[in-house]
């Protein structure tokens, strides 16, 4: 096997939360393998680990939602990256809404898109889901410099978080910002 550390160790991709829903089941996870993969037509690909519960739900889904987080939304990243949906209802601890085709959208993300799954590509221990965007949204950047991200993750039982992390003008969350989040599922 070729030693790729000199190359891979220099990468610092944006981290995304991917959510999936089908048959009354919801799942979501933090991913570092995601990118626009076509300009015409616009396409986006997210790679999900085969050992992740989100992958199990996404295999049956027609749409996925992809969410960008800022560095000030580490708590939301830790919820979706450090917990497993096999044990925790992550959506009971954050605000969410139903998007196009029943996709689960996290409105507090700084930006998000819902995409129709056009293709699934087996890449080894991850599967790529090629998406055609059908809906997108996001927050206006906070330009006054205030940090309104303090609060709790408590909910009122409806999935509405009180004081959830808010998107703002902070930089996007990168792998180097999330490296200390212990994965909620085994790493393949």
């Amino acid at each position: 096997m070729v030693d790729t550390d000199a190359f891979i160790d220099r990468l610092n991709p944006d981290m995304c939360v991917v959510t999936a829903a089908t048959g009354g089941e919801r799942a979501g996870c933090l991913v570092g393998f995601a990118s626009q993969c076509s300009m015409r037509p616009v396409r986006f690909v997210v790679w999900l680990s085969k050992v992740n519960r989100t992958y199990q739900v996404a295999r049956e889904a027609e749409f996925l939602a992809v969410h960008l987080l800022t560095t000030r939304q580490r708590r939301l990243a830790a919820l979706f990256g450090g917990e497993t949906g096999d044990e925790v209802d992550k959506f009971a601890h954050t605000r969410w809404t139903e998007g196009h085709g029943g996709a689960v959208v996290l409105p507090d993300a700084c930006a998000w898109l819902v995409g129709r799954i056009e293709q699934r590509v087996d890449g080894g221990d991850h599967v790529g889901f090629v998406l055609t965007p059908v809906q997108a949204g996001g927050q206006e950047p906070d330009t006054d410099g205030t940090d309104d991200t303090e609060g709790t993750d408590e909910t009122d039982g409806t999935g509405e978080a009180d004081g959830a992390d808010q998107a703002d003008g902070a930089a996007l969350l990168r792998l180097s910002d999330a490296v200390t989040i212990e994965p909620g599922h085994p790493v393949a």
Side-chain angles (χ1 to χ4, degrees), residues 43-86:
R43 296 270 168 82
F44 197 83
V45 64
V46 295
W47 295 86
L48 300 178
S49 169
K50 292 178 181 177
V51 299
N52 192 306
R53 183 173 177 276
T54 304
Y55 166 73
Q56 302 299 324
V57 175
R59 286 188 324 172
E60 304 301 322
E62 186 177 351
F63 298 93
L64 297 179
V66 183
H67 308 81
L68 295 176
L69 304 179
T70 69
T71 55
R72 292 185 180 168
Q73 294 179 296
R74 192 173 190 291
R75 187 174 36 210
L76 191 56
L79 174 64
F80 282 92
E83 301 290 341
T84 175
D86 295 322

Short mmCIF file of all heavy atoms in Angstrom, two decimals, residues 43-86:
data_model
loop_
_atom_site.label_atom_id
_atom_site.label_comp_id
_atom_site.label_asym_id
_atom_site.label_seq_id
_atom_site.Cartn_x
_atom_site.Cartn_y
_atom_site.Cartn_z
N ARG A 43 -24.07 19.50 -9.38
CA ARG A 43 -24.20 18.26 -8.59
C ARG A 43 -23.26 18.37 -7.39
O ARG A 43 -22.23 19.05 -7.44
CB ARG A 43 -23.82 17.02 -9.41
CG ARG A 43 -24.73 16.76 -10.59
CD ARG A 43 -25.89 15.86 -10.20
NE ARG A 43 -26.94 15.80 -11.20
CZ ARG A 43 -26.94 15.03 -12.28
NH1 ARG A 43 -25.92 14.24 -12.56
NH2 ARG A 43 -27.97 15.04 -13.11
N PHE A 44 -23.62 17.69 -6.34
CA PHE A 44 -22.86 17.67 -5.10
C PHE A 44 -22.78 16.22 -4.64
O PHE A 44 -23.74 15.47 -4.83
CB PHE A 44 -23.57 18.53 -4.04
CG PHE A 44 -22.70 18.91 -2.88
CD1 PHE A 44 -21.85 20.00 -2.97
CD2 PHE A 44 -22.73 18.18 -1.71
CE1 PHE A 44 -21.04 20.36 -1.90
CE2 PHE A 44 -21.93 18.52 -0.64
CZ PHE A 44 -21.08 19.62 -0.73
N VAL A 45 -21.66 15.81 -4.08
CA VAL A 45 -21.53 14.44 -3.59
C VAL A 45 -21.14 14.45 -2.11
O VAL A 45 -20.34 15.28 -1.67
CB VAL A 45 -20.49 13.62 -4.42
CG1 VAL A 45 -19.09 14.19 -4.29
CG2 VAL A 45 -20.53 12.14 -4.05
N VAL A 46 -21.78 13.58 -1.35
CA VAL A 46 -21.42 13.35 0.05
C VAL A 46 -21.11 11.87 0.21
O VAL A 46 -21.77 11.02 -0.40
CB VAL A 46 -22.53 13.78 1.03
CG1 VAL A 46 -22.75 15.27 0.99
CG2 VAL A 46 -23.83 13.06 0.77
N TRP A 47 -20.10 11.58 0.99
CA TRP A 47 -19.67 10.20 1.20
C TRP A 47 -20.01 9.79 2.62
O TRP A 47 -19.59 10.44 3.58
CB TRP A 47 -18.16 10.09 0.95
CG TRP A 47 -17.80 10.37 -0.47
CD1 TRP A 47 -17.56 11.59 -1.04
CD2 TRP A 47 -17.67 9.41 -1.52
NE1 TRP A 47 -17.29 11.44 -2.37
CE2 TRP A 47 -17.34 10.12 -2.70
CE3 TRP A 47 -17.79 8.02 -1.57
CZ2 TRP A 47 -17.14 9.48 -3.91
CZ3 TRP A 47 -17.58 7.38 -2.77
CH2 TRP A 47 -17.25 8.10 -3.94
N LEU A 48 -20.76 8.70 2.76
CA LEU A 48 -21.19 8.19 4.06
C LEU A 48 -20.54 6.85 4.35
O LEU A 48 -20.50 5.98 3.49
CB LEU A 48 -22.72 8.04 4.10
CG LEU A 48 -23.53 9.32 3.86
CD1 LEU A 48 -25.02 8.99 3.87
CD2 LEU A 48 -23.20 10.38 4.88
N SER A 49 -20.07 6.70 5.59
CA SER A 49 -19.46 5.45 6.03
C SER A 49 -20.50 4.34 6.07
O SER A 49 -21.62 4.54 6.57
CB SER A 49 -18.86 5.64 7.41
OG SER A 49 -18.49 4.39 7.97
N LYS A 50 -20.12 3.18 5.60
CA LYS A 50 -21.03 2.03 5.60
C LYS A 50 -21.37 1.54 7.00
O LYS A 50 -22.34 0.82 7.17
CB LYS A 50 -20.42 0.88 4.79
CG LYS A 50 -20.33 1.17 3.30
CD LYS A 50 -19.68 0.00 2.57
CE LYS A 50 -19.56 0.25 1.10
NZ LYS A 50 -18.86 -0.87 0.41
N VAL A 51 -20.58 1.92 8.02
CA VAL A 51 -20.88 1.49 9.38
C VAL A 51 -21.74 2.50 10.13
O VAL A 51 -22.10 2.29 11.28
CB VAL A 51 -19.59 1.19 10.19
CG1 VAL A 51 -18.79 0.08 9.54
CG2 VAL A 51 -18.75 2.44 10.38
N ASN A 52 -22.12 3.58 9.46
CA ASN A 52 -22.89 4.65 10.08
C ASN A 52 -24.39 4.42 9.89
O ASN A 52 -24.82 4.02 8.81
CB ASN A 52 -22.46 5.98 9.43
CG ASN A 52 -22.95 7.18 10.16
OD1 ASN A 52 -24.14 7.31 10.41
ND2 ASN A 52 -22.05 8.07 10.50
N ARG A 53 -25.17 4.70 10.91
CA ARG A 53 -26.62 4.56 10.83
C ARG A 53 -27.21 5.45 9.73
O ARG A 53 -28.17 5.07 9.06
CB ARG A 53 -27.27 4.87 12.17
CG ARG A 53 -28.78 4.67 12.14
CD ARG A 53 -29.39 4.82 13.54
NE ARG A 53 -30.82 4.69 13.46
CZ ARG A 53 -31.66 5.67 13.14
NH1 ARG A 53 -31.19 6.86 12.85
NH2 ARG A 53 -32.95 5.45 13.12
N THR A 54 -26.63 6.62 9.54
CA THR A 54 -27.14 7.52 8.50
C THR A 54 -27.05 6.86 7.12
O THR A 54 -27.95 7.01 6.30
CB THR A 54 -26.37 8.85 8.51
OG1 THR A 54 -26.46 9.42 9.82
CG2 THR A 54 -26.93 9.84 7.49
N TYR A 55 -25.99 6.11 6.89
CA TYR A 55 -25.86 5.38 5.63
C TYR A 55 -27.01 4.39 5.46
O TYR A 55 -27.60 4.27 4.38
CB TYR A 55 -24.52 4.65 5.56
CG TYR A 55 -24.45 3.63 4.46
CD1 TYR A 55 -24.36 4.02 3.13
CD2 TYR A 55 -24.50 2.27 4.76
CE1 TYR A 55 -24.32 3.08 2.11
CE2 TYR A 55 -24.45 1.33 3.74
CZ TYR A 55 -24.37 1.73 2.43
OH TYR A 55 -24.33 0.81 1.42
N GLN A 56 -27.37 3.70 6.54
CA GLN A 56 -28.45 2.72 6.47
C GLN A 56 -29.77 3.38 6.05
O GLN A 56 -30.51 2.85 5.23
CB GLN A 56 -28.62 1.99 7.81
CG GLN A 56 -27.38 1.27 8.29
CD GLN A 56 -26.91 0.19 7.34
OE1 GLN A 56 -27.70 -0.49 6.72
NE2 GLN A 56 -25.60 0.05 7.22
N VAL A 57 -30.05 4.54 6.61
CA VAL A 57 -31.28 5.26 6.26
C VAL A 57 -31.15 5.85 4.85
O VAL A 57 -32.10 5.78 4.06
CB VAL A 57 -31.58 6.36 7.31
CG1 VAL A 57 -32.78 7.20 6.90
CG2 VAL A 57 -31.82 5.73 8.68
N ALA A 58 -30.00 6.40 4.52
CA ALA A 58 -29.79 7.04 3.21
C ALA A 58 -29.92 6.05 2.06
O ALA A 58 -30.31 6.44 0.96
CB ALA A 58 -28.43 7.72 3.17
N ARG A 59 -29.61 4.78 2.30
CA ARG A 59 -29.73 3.77 1.23
C ARG A 59 -31.15 3.69 0.70
O ARG A 59 -31.36 3.37 -0.47
CB ARG A 59 -29.32 2.38 1.75
CG ARG A 59 -27.86 2.22 1.94
CD ARG A 59 -27.47 0.80 2.27
NE ARG A 59 -28.45 0.13 3.12
CZ ARG A 59 -28.43 -1.15 3.41
NH1 ARG A 59 -27.49 -1.91 2.92
NH2 ARG A 59 -29.32 -1.68 4.21
N GLU A 60 -32.13 3.99 1.55
CA GLU A 60 -33.54 3.90 1.16
C GLU A 60 -34.16 5.26 0.84
O GLU A 60 -35.30 5.32 0.41
CB GLU A 60 -34.34 3.22 2.28
CG GLU A 60 -33.82 1.86 2.68
CD GLU A 60 -33.80 0.86 1.53
OE1 GLU A 60 -34.74 0.88 0.70
OE2 GLU A 60 -32.83 0.08 1.44
N ALA A 61 -33.43 6.34 1.09
CA ALA A 61 -33.98 7.69 0.92
C ALA A 61 -33.94 8.12 -0.54
O ALA A 61 -33.14 7.62 -1.34
CB ALA A 61 -33.19 8.67 1.77
N GLU A 62 -34.79 9.07 -0.88
CA GLU A 62 -34.80 9.68 -2.21
C GLU A 62 -34.06 11.02 -2.20
O GLU A 62 -33.53 11.46 -3.22
CB GLU A 62 -36.24 9.90 -2.67
CG GLU A 62 -36.36 10.39 -4.09
CD GLU A 62 -37.81 10.52 -4.56
OE1 GLU A 62 -38.74 10.09 -3.84
OE2 GLU A 62 -38.00 11.09 -5.65
N PHE A 63 -34.03 11.69 -1.02
CA PHE A 63 -33.39 12.99 -0.87
C PHE A 63 -32.50 12.98 0.37
O PHE A 63 -32.80 12.30 1.35
CB PHE A 63 -34.45 14.09 -0.69
CG PHE A 63 -35.36 14.23 -1.87
CD1 PHE A 63 -36.56 13.54 -1.91
CD2 PHE A 63 -35.02 15.04 -2.93
CE1 PHE A 63 -37.42 13.65 -3.00
CE2 PHE A 63 -35.86 15.16 -4.03
CZ PHE A 63 -37.06 14.47 -4.06
N LEU A 64 -31.43 13.76 0.34
CA LEU A 64 -30.58 14.01 1.50
C LEU A 64 -30.47 15.52 1.67
O LEU A 64 -30.57 16.27 0.70
CB LEU A 64 -29.18 13.44 1.31
CG LEU A 64 -29.03 11.93 1.15
CD1 LEU A 64 -27.55 11.57 0.96
CD2 LEU A 64 -29.61 11.20 2.34
N ALA A 65 -30.23 15.96 2.90
CA ALA A 65 -29.94 17.37 3.17
C ALA A 65 -28.49 17.46 3.66
O ALA A 65 -28.03 16.63 4.44
CB ALA A 65 -30.89 17.93 4.21
N VAL A 66 -27.79 18.47 3.16
CA VAL A 66 -26.39 18.72 3.51
C VAL A 66 -26.33 20.10 4.14
O VAL A 66 -26.85 21.07 3.58
CB VAL A 66 -25.48 18.66 2.27
CG1 VAL A 66 -24.03 18.85 2.66
CG2 VAL A 66 -25.68 17.35 1.51
N HIS A 67 -25.68 20.20 5.31
CA HIS A 67 -25.66 21.44 6.09
C HIS A 67 -24.23 21.87 6.37
O HIS A 67 -23.42 21.06 6.84
CB HIS A 67 -26.36 21.22 7.43
CG HIS A 67 -27.73 20.63 7.31
ND1 HIS A 67 -27.93 19.28 7.14
CD2 HIS A 67 -28.95 21.21 7.30
CE1 HIS A 67 -29.23 19.05 7.05
NE2 HIS A 67 -29.87 20.21 7.14
N LEU A 68 -23.92 23.14 6.11
CA LEU A 68 -22.63 23.72 6.49
C LEU A 68 -22.76 24.34 7.87
O LEU A 68 -23.78 24.96 8.19
CB LEU A 68 -22.21 24.79 5.49
CG LEU A 68 -21.94 24.33 4.07
CD1 LEU A 68 -21.62 25.53 3.18
CD2 LEU A 68 -20.80 23.33 4.04
N LEU A 69 -21.73 24.17 8.68
CA LEU A 69 -21.70 24.74 10.02
C LEU A 69 -20.53 25.71 10.12
O LEU A 69 -19.56 25.60 9.38
CB LEU A 69 -21.52 23.63 11.07
CG LEU A 69 -22.53 22.50 11.08
CD1 LEU A 69 -22.17 21.50 12.17
CD2 LEU A 69 -23.94 23.02 11.27
N THR A 70 -20.63 26.63 11.09
CA THR A 70 -19.51 27.52 11.35
C THR A 70 -18.73 27.00 12.55
O THR A 70 -19.18 26.09 13.27
CB THR A 70 -19.98 28.96 11.66
OG1 THR A 70 -20.64 28.98 12.92
CG2 THR A 70 -20.89 29.49 10.56
N THR A 71 -17.57 27.61 12.80
CA THR A 71 -16.75 27.21 13.94
C THR A 71 -17.46 27.47 15.27
O THR A 71 -17.12 26.85 16.27
CB THR A 71 -15.41 27.96 13.93
OG1 THR A 71 -15.65 29.37 13.87
CG2 THR A 71 -14.56 27.53 12.74
N ARG A 72 -18.44 28.33 15.26
CA ARG A 72 -19.19 28.62 16.48
C ARG A 72 -20.32 27.61 16.70
O ARG A 72 -21.06 27.73 17.67
CB ARG A 72 -19.75 30.03 16.44
CG ARG A 72 -18.65 31.06 16.52
CD ARG A 72 -19.20 32.44 16.60
NE ARG A 72 -18.12 33.41 16.68
CZ ARG A 72 -18.29 34.70 16.53
NH1 ARG A 72 -19.49 35.17 16.30
NH2 ARG A 72 -17.27 35.51 16.61
N GLN A 73 -20.46 26.65 15.81
CA GLN A 73 -21.52 25.64 15.93
C GLN A 73 -20.93 24.26 16.26
O GLN A 73 -21.47 23.24 15.86
CB GLN A 73 -22.34 25.59 14.65
CG GLN A 73 -23.12 26.87 14.42
CD GLN A 73 -23.92 26.83 13.16
OE1 GLN A 73 -23.37 26.76 12.07
NE2 GLN A 73 -25.23 26.88 13.30
N ARG A 74 -19.88 24.26 17.03
CA ARG A 74 -19.21 23.01 17.38
C ARG A 74 -20.12 22.07 18.16
O ARG A 74 -20.05 20.86 18.02
CB ARG A 74 -17.93 23.28 18.16
CG ARG A 74 -17.07 22.05 18.29
CD ARG A 74 -15.73 22.38 18.93
NE ARG A 74 -14.83 21.25 18.84
CZ ARG A 74 -14.97 20.11 19.49
NH1 ARG A 74 -16.02 19.91 20.26
NH2 ARG A 74 -14.08 19.15 19.36
N ARG A 75 -21.00 22.64 18.99
CA ARG A 75 -21.92 21.81 19.77
C ARG A 75 -22.83 21.00 18.84
O ARG A 75 -23.08 19.82 19.07
CB ARG A 75 -22.74 22.69 20.71
CG ARG A 75 -23.60 21.90 21.66
CD ARG A 75 -24.29 22.78 22.67
NE ARG A 75 -24.67 24.04 22.09
CZ ARG A 75 -24.76 25.17 22.78
NH1 ARG A 75 -24.49 25.21 24.05
NH2 ARG A 75 -25.13 26.29 22.18
N LEU A 76 -23.32 21.63 17.76
CA LEU A 76 -24.15 20.92 16.78
C LEU A 76 -23.32 19.86 16.06
O LEU A 76 -23.78 18.75 15.83
CB LEU A 76 -24.75 21.92 15.79
CG LEU A 76 -25.83 21.43 14.86
CD1 LEU A 76 -27.01 20.81 15.61
CD2 LEU A 76 -26.32 22.57 13.96
N ALA A 77 -22.07 20.19 15.74
CA ALA A 77 -21.16 19.22 15.11
C ALA A 77 -20.92 18.03 16.04
O ALA A 77 -20.93 16.88 15.60
CB ALA A 77 -19.84 19.88 14.74
N ALA A 78 -20.74 18.31 17.32
CA ALA A 78 -20.50 17.22 18.28
C ALA A 78 -21.73 16.33 18.44
O ALA A 78 -21.60 15.11 18.60
CB ALA A 78 -20.08 17.80 19.63
N LEU A 79 -22.92 16.92 18.37
CA LEU A 79 -24.14 16.13 18.46
C LEU A 79 -24.21 15.14 17.30
O LEU A 79 -24.47 13.95 17.51
CB LEU A 79 -25.37 17.04 18.44
CG LEU A 79 -26.74 16.35 18.38
CD1 LEU A 79 -26.98 15.51 19.64
CD2 LEU A 79 -27.84 17.39 18.20
N PHE A 80 -23.96 15.61 16.08
CA PHE A 80 -24.10 14.74 14.91
C PHE A 80 -22.85 13.91 14.64
O PHE A 80 -22.93 12.91 13.94
CB PHE A 80 -24.51 15.56 13.68
CG PHE A 80 -25.97 15.89 13.71
CD1 PHE A 80 -26.43 17.06 14.28
CD2 PHE A 80 -26.90 15.00 13.20
CE1 PHE A 80 -27.78 17.36 14.33
CE2 PHE A 80 -28.26 15.27 13.25
CZ PHE A 80 -28.69 16.45 13.82
N GLY A 81 -21.71 14.29 15.20
CA GLY A 81 -20.49 13.53 14.99
C GLY A 81 -20.09 12.65 16.16
O GLY A 81 -19.44 11.62 15.97
N GLY A 82 -20.48 13.03 17.36
CA GLY A 82 -20.05 12.31 18.55
C GLY A 82 -21.08 11.41 19.18
O GLY A 82 -20.80 10.72 20.16
N GLU A 83 -22.29 11.41 18.66
CA GLU A 83 -23.35 10.55 19.15
C GLU A 83 -23.77 9.61 18.02
O GLU A 83 -23.62 9.94 16.86
CB GLU A 83 -24.57 11.37 19.60
CG GLU A 83 -24.27 12.38 20.69
CD GLU A 83 -23.98 11.75 22.03
OE1 GLU A 83 -24.34 10.56 22.24
OE2 GLU A 83 -23.39 12.42 22.88
N THR A 84 -24.30 8.46 18.38
CA THR A 84 -24.83 7.55 17.37
C THR A 84 -26.35 7.53 17.44
O THR A 84 -26.92 7.50 18.54
CB THR A 84 -24.27 6.12 17.50
OG1 THR A 84 -24.93 5.28 16.54
CG2 THR A 84 -24.48 5.54 18.88
N GLY A 85 -26.98 7.56 16.28
CA GLY A 85 -28.43 7.49 16.21
C GLY A 85 -28.97 6.15 16.67
O GLY A 85 -30.18 6.01 16.87
N ASP A 86 -28.10 5.16 16.85
CA ASP A 86 -28.53 3.88 17.39
C ASP A 86 -28.91 4.01 18.86
O ASP A 86 -29.66 3.19 19.39
CB ASP A 86 -27.42 2.83 17.25
CG ASP A 86 -27.12 2.50 15.81
OD1 ASP A 86 -28.06 2.45 14.99
OD2 ASP A 86 -25.93 2.31 15.49
#
